[in-house]
């Protein structure tokens, strides 16, 4: 069964450093998302991406965050200058259709900011 | 503020019993509802989705939706120890966004004892 793949599985970085989290969505999916989950808390929406542009973003997704689809398969999340509070599990997801379509999540990248 | 509420549990049931997981949501505009299973340290895995009032069955799982009461539930029949996990309820904002910006509950931990 096709799946969303994410790399790396674990990233440790120092505060103030830039990180790029990578995702390969399911090949015939058109909508891409990033969510995050701080340890012990809810899964939170960050951003949705369709047709090579951001379609919606949450308050969490401030100027320190950016997303890109550099080629036909990868979808990346960049955090420009990491803060301690960015430590979380970051999940990439994709869906075939838009609103109401089930999201399929990748295995996640655990980001630890020290 | 869109909210999805779940009892955090744990909900303990013996093997072979029916587990009943419940969820309420605040946004009357929500159209689509999802149940995900999340094992500790892993990503959310889609179990079921439901759009219409009533019941939807898939194998051992039944999702129930009551939009008037803003209530969603998941029944797991013949519970197995491998069903032990946290079950996340999520609603899609609906409206005209066209994108699946899911709002998640904090999840209910289910423990199935052999």
């Amino acid at each position: 069964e096709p799946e969303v793949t994410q790399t790396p599985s674990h990233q440790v970085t120092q505060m103030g450093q830039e990180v790029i989290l990578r995702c390969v969505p399911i090949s015939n999916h058109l909508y891409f998302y990033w969510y995050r989950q701080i340890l012990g808390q809810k899964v939170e929406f960050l951003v949705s991406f369709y047709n090579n542009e951001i379609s919606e973003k949450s308050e969490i997704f401030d100027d320190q965050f950016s997303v890109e689809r550099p080629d036909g398969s990868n979808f990346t999340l960049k955090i420009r200058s990491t803060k301690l509070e960015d430590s979380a599990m970051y999940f990439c997801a994709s869906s075939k259709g838009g609103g109401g379509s089930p999201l399929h999540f990748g295995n996640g990248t655990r980001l630890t900011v020290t | 503020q869109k909210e999805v509420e779940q009892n955090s549990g744990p909900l303990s049931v013996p093997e072979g019993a029916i587990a009943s997981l419940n969820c309420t949501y605040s946004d009357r505009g929500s159209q689509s509802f999802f149940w995900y299973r999340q094992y500790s340290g892993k990503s959310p895995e889609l179990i079921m989705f439901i759009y219409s009032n009533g019941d939807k069955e898939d194998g051992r799982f039944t999702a129930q939706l009551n939009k008037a009461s803003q209530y969603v539930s998941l029944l797991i029949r013949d519970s197995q120890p491998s069903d032990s996990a946290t079950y996340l309820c999520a609603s899609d904002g609906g409206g005209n966004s066209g994108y699946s910006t899911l709002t998640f509950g904090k999840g209910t931990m289910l423990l199935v004892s052999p």
Side-chain angles (χ1 to χ4, degrees):
Chain A
E1 185 174 322
E3 58 183 28
V4 177
T5 57
Q6 289 185 244
T7 54
S9 57
H10 192 186
Q11 174 91 47
V12 181
T13 189
Q14 288 189 327
M15 195 167 51
Q17 296 296 304
E18 175 183 288
V19 294
I20 297 176
L21 310 183
R22 303 179 191 279
C23 168
V24 178
I26 295 173
S27 62
N28 64 344
H29 284 189
L30 301 177
Y31 297 80
F32 314 119
Y33 309 85
W34 285 99
Y35 284 75
R36 79 171 186 190
Q37 186 175 32
I38 295 170
L39 189 63
Q41 298 189 24
K42 299 181 182 184
V43 176
E44 301 174 290
F45 167 73
L46 293 179
V47 66
S48 59
F49 191 88
Y50 170 71
N51 201 24
N52 282 322
E53 61 183 22
I54 290 174
S55 44
E56 197 166 345
K57 59 185 180 180
S58 71
E59 290 177 355
I60 302 168
F61 195 89
D62 62 20
D63 292 344
Q64 294 301 309
F65 291 86
S66 62
V67 290
E68 194 178 33
R69 187 156 164 83
D71 52 42
S73 60
N74 289 285
F75 179 50
T76 62
L77 174 70
K78 182 193 291 187
I79 308 175
R80 197 179 348 269
S81 177
T82 50
K83 302 188 281 273
L84 293 176
E85 53 264 39
D86 293 328
S87 295
M89 192 75 140
Y90 287 80
F91 296 112
C92 175
S94 67
S95 65
K96 192 177 292 189
S101 295
L103 268 60
H104 298 266
F105 286 84
N107 287 333
T109 294
R110 180 169 299 284
L111 176 65
T112 302
V113 183
T114 62
Chain B
Q1 183 81 3
K2 300 172 186 174
E3 296 284 346
V4 174
E5 299 292 339
Q6 296 181 257
N7 188 320
S8 60
L11 172 66
S12 296
V13 300
E15 184 174 355
I18 296 174
S20 177
L21 304 159
N22 306 312
C23 163
T24 58
Y25 60 95
S26 64
D27 183 9
R28 283 202 172 271
S30 295
Q31 299 291 324
S32 311
F33 304 89
F34 304 86
W35 283 100
Y36 285 85
R37 178 172 63 197
Q38 187 176 32
Y39 294 111
S40 181
K42 303 296 185 182
S43 63
E45 175 192 2
L46 182 67
I47 298 294
M48 290 202 65
F49 55 91
I50 187 166
Y51 304 141
S52 304
N53 275 329
D55 296 0
K56 179 182 178 183
E57 187 174 317
D58 183 1
R60 296 187 296 115
F61 299 97
T62 298
Q64 299 174 316
L65 174 59
N66 183 325
K67 289 187 178 180
S69 301
Q70 295 176 242
Y71 178 89
V72 194
S73 65
L74 179 70
L75 300 178
I76 306 175
R77 287 180 298 281
D78 187 24
S79 296
Q80 301 297 309
S82 58
D83 294 327
S84 297
T86 296
Y87 288 79
L88 308 179
C89 175
S91 70
D92 192 341
N96 297 317
S97 72
Y99 311 103
S100 284
T101 55
L102 300 185
T103 299
F104 281 86
K106 203 168 180 182
T108 298
M109 182 182 293
L110 173 66
L111 298 175
V112 182
S113 53

